[in-house]
Amino acid sequence: MARSPLFAHLTPEEVRLARAYFLPLTYPKGKAIFHQGDLGQALYLVEAGQVRLYRTHLGGQEKTLGFVGPGGVFGEMSLLDEGERSASAVAEEESQLLALHREDYLALIRRLPLVAHNLARLLALRLREADLELDLLAFEEARSRVAYALLKLLRQGKGPLLRLRQQELAALAGTSRETVTRVLHELKAHGAVRLAPGEVEVVSPGLLEEVAFGLL
């Protein structure tokens, strides 16, 4: 818990104090944590395991937004505005979470105002990433989106050896599985990745960045 950016610059004693405001929960693999459209009531911090965030479109197609591993935070927007969940969350593997409900959050930041500042920094970072991703989805070709999806997984603490199906990468990149297959072999030819059944190993994040931003 101490390694979470939500508790950056807190002392060990302050982290222990903060933990008292959280409710520990365990979710088995495949269990939904919340669904898109639910009323938000809590922020979640991952202690162990992994959570996948995704949106479901009108036709029933899922778009993976990302994965959250130990130390990661999700569900914070609905905690702050009490609005509907903008995405769904599901445990990709058995996961131990810490839930912080709104009334406990307000009590916590009265004791430790730095937590509110850290949460604001997290939201600012996600807004910057969302702006960049919108530009890529709107203007760049599929190879850029696939490369960016791999970089996003690296930033989320996965890799450099990524064990995922090409359909999962396609959902994250917003493209088809066939396109992902083609692009991965292009990236392999450039020396950016190595491929094995069910695995993608990132060899050169720098080359991925060049592809993502149209420089290669």
Side-chain angles (χ1 to χ4, degrees):
M1 182 170 170
R3 59 183 164 172
S4 172
L6 189 62
F7 302 110
H9 309 300
L10 294 184
T11 67
E13 293 77 14
E14 289 172 330
V15 172
R16 285 194 290 271
L17 171 62
R19 185 186 175 93
Y21 289 85
F22 287 76
L23 176 67
L25 299 168
T26 299
Y27 287 83
K29 180 179 179 179
K31 176 71 173 178
I33 300 160
F34 54 74
H35 293 97
Q36 182 177 330
D38 289 350
L39 287 179
Q41 298 179 337
L43 165 155
Y44 295 88
L45 189 155
V46 180
E47 271 204 307
Q50 182 173 252
V51 172
R52 180 171 70 95
L53 305 177
Y54 65 94
R55 285 183 59 84
T56 304
H57 299 287
L58 291 177
Q61 182 181 7
E62 288 185 6
K63 168 68 168 67
T64 297
L65 303 178
F67 298 88
V68 186
V73 175
F74 65 97
E76 69 284 346
M77 288 193 299
S78 293
L79 170 72
L80 297 175
D81 66 9
E82 298 183 281
E84 294 183 352
R85 296 290 188 188
S86 60
S88 300
V90 62
E92 283 287 284
E93 56 191 61
E94 182 173 329
S95 301
Q96 284 76 52
L97 308 181
L98 296 173
L100 180 64
H101 290 268
R102 180 176 172 80
E103 60 273 16
D104 295 317
Y105 169 73
L106 295 174
L108 171 59
I109 62 174
R110 283 195 289 268
R111 295 287 300 275
L112 297 172
L114 185 56
V115 172
H117 175 70
N118 288 339
L119 182 57
R121 291 181 62 187
L122 279 172
L123 289 169
L125 175 62
R126 288 181 184 173
L127 180 59
R128 291 179 187 273
E129 290 180 342
D131 286 344
L132 176 58
E133 191 163 347
L134 283 173
D135 284 345
L136 286 169
L137 289 173
F139 301 112
E140 299 295 342
E141 59 185 12
R143 67 198 300 265
S144 295
R145 297 203 300 270
V146 173
Y148 181 77
L150 292 171
L151 288 171
K152 186 175 181 179
L153 289 170
L154 288 180
R155 289 201 306 273
Q156 292 171 350
K158 296 173 68 68
L161 182 61
L162 304 167
R163 293 184 172 88
L164 76 170
R165 294 178 293 108
Q166 292 188 7
Q167 186 59 50
E168 293 173 324
L169 184 56
L172 188 60
T175 187
S176 68
R177 183 181 61 78
E178 292 77 13
T179 298
V180 165
T181 300
R182 174 178 57 79
V183 172
L184 285 177
H185 281 89
E186 289 180 12
L187 294 175
K188 178 183 177 181
H190 282 301
V193 302
R194 294 193 187 99
L195 302 178
E199 295 180 348
V200 179
E201 183 181 2
V202 176
V203 178
S204 174
L207 283 175
L208 281 183
E209 286 190 8
E210 291 186 22
V211 173
F213 297 102
L215 303 177
L216 183 63

